[in-house]
Amino acid sequence: MKGHLYRFTIEHIEDKQGNSLALSPLTFEARNHDDILNIVEVMKGKMALDETDATAFAVGLKLFGEVMLKNSKNELFKQFRPHLNHFMKELKKT
């Protein structure tokens, strides 16, 4: 399969009350046609977001977009795709 291969690890460090948690991390691999690390760097300078929010936004958007492309026949994604395309065009203008 073509594309960049990434490994993501998510650790749940605290619950919403601020209590520390000792849970196993969630780890998964995902391919993406884009260089996500480069996109994160670009996003940090494009939007009025702090570094953490810009990183979370860019990674989340790229993961979502790739899953949507891969599953383009899914009816929910079919309905949402025009909206995401419009959003991406506006985002690229900033």
Side-chain angles (χ1 to χ4, degrees):
M1 182 173 207
K2 292 184 180 180
H4 304 270
L5 180 62
Y6 298 93
R7 178 175 296 125
F8 295 89
T9 301
I10 303 170
E11 296 180 56
H12 194 169
I13 299 168
E14 291 181 345
D15 65 15
K16 61 184 178 180
Q17 288 81 28
N19 300 312
S20 294
L21 300 172
L23 302 173
S24 296
L26 168 67
T27 300
F28 65 97
E29 293 181 354
R31 288 199 182 270
N32 198 286
H33 67 277
D34 286 320
D35 180 343
I36 294 175
L37 299 176
N38 183 59
I39 289 172
V40 166
E41 290 305 311
V42 170
M43 289 301 297
K44 288 178 185 177
K46 275 193 152 209
M47 299 181 70
L49 299 174
D50 67 32
E51 188 171 327
T52 298
D53 286 347
T55 299
F57 173 72
V59 171
L61 184 61
K62 292 310 302 175
L63 288 175
F64 176 70
E66 195 73 18
V67 169
M68 197 172 89
L69 286 172
K70 184 178 173 185
N71 296 279
S72 61
K73 293 180 181 177
N74 182 300
E75 191 57 39
L76 280 174
F77 293 145
K78 276 185 183 177
Q79 293 175 27
F80 189 71
R81 185 158 186 172
H83 304 287
L84 182 63
N85 288 344
H86 176 74
F87 178 82
M88 293 302 290
K89 286 178 187 175
E90 293 299 313
L91 178 62
K92 289 176 182 181
K93 287 181 187 178
T94 61

